[in-house]
Amino acid sequence: MTTLGVEEEYLLLDPGSGLPAPESRRVREAADLMPALGPDEVEPELLQAQVEIATPVCETLDEVAEHLLRLRGSVARAAAATGCRLAATGAAPLRGPEPVPVTSKARYRAMAGDAPQVVDEMLINGMHVHVAVADREDGVVVLNRIRPWLPVLVAMGANSPLWDGGDTGFASWRTLVFDRWPVSGPPPVFADDLDYTARTQALLDAGAMRDLGQIYWQARLSERYPTVEVRTLDVQLRVEDAVTLAGVVRALVLDALAGGPATAQGAVPPELVAAGNWQAARYGLGDRLIDPRDGRPRRAGDVVAGLVDRLGPALKESGDLDRVGAGVEVLLREGSPAERQRRAFHEGGVEAVLELIAAA
């Protein structure tokens, strides 16, 4: 079984005002006392109003679901114990007049010095899926082959429509905010592992980033684990949505390794991938997507259904076909989490959205 793991970032909110609450240290201290949590399962993030969790290595989607439920529940209780709320949203619906302080780590302080306004606005939260690969050479093959499909994942996982108390008009505002970093967006095509290593080293040498952790491409080779790390997704409102998307990502990787039909090697122009990424962030599943198979615009639901159909052999191999298929049906019927946030906003304003993202 090809293993996988999931990382999720969450926002901490003041329960009265709904503003980001810089209580990460206290929440992590409370989490350390939770019997259901292991050491280092709750980590700091760039800003003090964020925390990050990571599941252990999992073989099945059932394991992913169990760990996410355990981690979310425990951290939510730790947050409540410190007087704030945990929120599963890709972007903060509200921001205060003053920036949220940066977490007190040398790396984060250096990033704030390099790009102060960018860091101030990093009140965004992602979901990262790690899928095991045999070696970095296989990892590069995967990156090249899944690259055209990354915008489709952006649309499926969009969960950040609000910013500064209003509707941005984007399904994934997080995607736009995160693309302000110099090494971000869909990755380029690489000749092989040596090419990947040489070009990332060139970015370091050029001063475009401080370390390899600042490779913020939507998919990259992990420097800590023997995995491909897919970073396109906003953090999800519901655990089952996260589990569904984790299954889709694993199937994409398996299909890429097998040279299957969904990711057959083809020259997809970088400008088309970039345009598709912007369009996916703008509309989510609510309009058309650029179909990676031929570059033509099609209904988002048709593109997603076509992807899942083409991933059928890989989903069967992993045992995820029924669960992922059912999850995608719910996603297409109810809309992306961004559409759920937007419905809540238009029905009950920011207060209804805050209740939605905290309840999840």
Side-chain angles (χ1 to χ4, degrees), residues 7 128 130 143 187 196 212-223 227-231:
E7 298 168 339
H128 307 156
H130 288 260
L143 292 180
Y196 183 96
L212 294 175
Q214 282 192 279
I215 298 173
Y216 292 144
W217 288 320
Q218 290 176 327
R220 68 184 185 184
L221 301 183
S222 173
E223 297 299 325
T227 63
V228 167
E229 181 185 2
V230 176
R231 305 165 53 84

Side-chain angles (χ1 to χ4, degrees), residues 8 16 43 58 79-80 103 106 143 154 156 161 193 204 216 242 272 308 310 314 333 347:
E8 289 190 323
E43 295 287 340
C58 301
T103 297
L143 292 180
V154 170
M156 294 174 73
D193 174 34
L204 275 174
Y216 292 144
L272 202 59
V308 174
R310 284 168 170 255
R333 182 172 65 250
E347 290 170 4

Side-chain angles (χ1 to χ4, degrees), residues 130-152:
H130 288 260
V131 182
V133 290
D135 51 42
R136 290 173 69 88
E137 194 64 43
D138 276 355
V140 169
V141 170
V142 169
L143 292 180
N144 288 342
R145 290 182 174 176
I146 70 172
R147 176 178 155 274
W149 292 95
L150 295 176
V152 181

Side-chain angles (χ1 to χ4, degrees), residues 93-94 161-168 338-354 356:
L94 295 172
L162 303 184
W163 191 250
D164 286 339
D167 190 334
T168 64
E339 293 169 75
R340 295 171 218 154
Q341 281 204 46
R342 189 167 278 134
R343 284 195 293 269
F345 179 68
H346 290 297
E347 290 170 4
V350 174
E351 293 78 9
V353 174
L354 294 172
L356 174 71

Side-chain angles (χ1 to χ4, degrees), residues 66 84 131 145 189 237 243 257 354:
E66 290 168 6
C84 57
V131 182
R145 290 182 174 176
V189 174
L237 278 176
V243 172
L257 290 170
L354 294 172

Side-chain angles (χ1 to χ4, degrees), residues 8-355:
E8 289 190 323
E9 300 161 349
Y10 309 124
L11 196 65
L12 302 172
L13 299 180
D14 180 277
S17 67
L19 293 173
E23 297 290 352
S24 173
R25 180 183 59 80
R26 293 179 64 222
V27 169
R28 287 182 284 112
E29 288 174 351
D32 286 342
L33 303 177
M34 296 280 172
L37 292 175
D40 301 324
E41 285 196 308
V42 184
E43 295 287 340
E45 248 301 325
L46 175 60
L47 298 178
Q48 292 182 27
Q50 297 167 299
V51 292
E52 181 181 42
I53 61 90
T55 71
V57 176
C58 301
E59 289 191 349
T60 68
L61 293 186
D62 284 346
E63 289 179 67
V64 173
E66 290 168 6
H67 285 300
L68 289 180
L69 286 168
R70 172 181 62 84
L71 289 161
R72 285 188 180 211
S74 297
V75 180
R77 287 190 288 275
T82 63
C84 57
R85 301 182 77 181
L86 197 72
T89 180
L94 295 172
R95 293 188 299 152
E98 298 297 325
V100 174
V102 172
T103 297
S104 185
K105 289 178 63 175
R107 180 174 184 268
Y108 292 152
R109 291 195 299 270
M111 289 170 64
D114 292 339
Q117 187 68 32
V118 172
V119 168
D120 286 350
E121 299 191 7
M122 283 292 117
L123 284 165
I124 55 174
N125 300 307
M127 168 187 167
H128 307 156
V129 182
H130 288 260
V131 182
V133 290
D135 51 42
R136 290 173 69 88
E137 194 64 43
D138 276 355
V140 169
V141 170
V142 169
L143 292 180
N144 288 342
R145 290 182 174 176
I146 70 172
R147 176 178 155 274
W149 292 95
L150 295 176
V152 181
L153 294 179
V154 170
M156 294 174 73
N159 184 32
S160 50
L162 303 184
W163 191 250
D164 286 339
D167 190 334
T168 64
F170 282 77
S172 178
W173 185 243
R174 166 184 166 270
T175 297
L176 274 291
V177 173
F178 208 69
D179 277 357
R180 296 171 184 175
W181 291 105
V183 186
S184 58
V189 174
F190 301 99
D192 51 29
D193 174 34
L194 293 177
D195 185 42
Y196 183 96
T197 300
R199 289 165 67 180
T200 52
Q201 184 62 46
L203 287 165
L204 275 174
D205 294 343
M209 54 190 188
R210 285 183 169 268
D211 53 48
L212 294 175
Q214 282 192 279
I215 298 173
Y216 292 144
W217 288 320
Q218 290 176 327
R220 68 184 185 184
L221 301 183
S222 173
E223 297 299 325
R224 292 193 295 168
Y225 309 113
T227 63
V228 167
E229 181 185 2
V230 176
R231 305 165 53 84
T232 56
L233 303 163
D234 293 352
V235 70
Q236 296 298 289
L237 278 176
R238 302 184 302 210
V239 165
E240 194 54 40
D241 294 332
V243 172
T244 295
L245 292 169
V248 171
V249 171
R250 175 160 68 175
L252 268 171
V253 172
L254 289 172
D255 182 85
L257 290 170
T263 50
Q265 192 79 299
V268 181
E271 65 274 12
L272 202 59
V273 176
N277 203 58
W278 190 94
Q279 190 169 353
R282 169 67 174 88
Y283 298 107
L285 297 176
D287 201 273
R288 292 175 176 261
L289 294 174
I290 295 176
D291 194 322
R293 293 167 291 187
D294 59 9
R296 303 298 297 274
R298 287 189 173 84
R299 288 180 59 251
D302 292 340
V303 176
V304 171
L307 171 62
V308 174
D309 182 60
R310 284 168 170 255
L311 289 176
L315 288 167
K316 287 180 181 177
E317 177 186 342
S318 62
D320 298 337
L321 181 60
D322 290 342
R323 185 167 194 165
V324 169
V328 170
E329 284 183 11
V330 171
L331 183 64
L332 294 178
R333 182 172 65 250
E334 297 185 0
S336 70
E339 293 169 75
R340 295 171 218 154
Q341 281 204 46
R342 189 167 278 134
R343 284 195 293 269
F345 179 68
H346 290 297
E347 290 170 4
V350 174
E351 293 78 9
V353 174
L354 294 172
E355 190 60 38

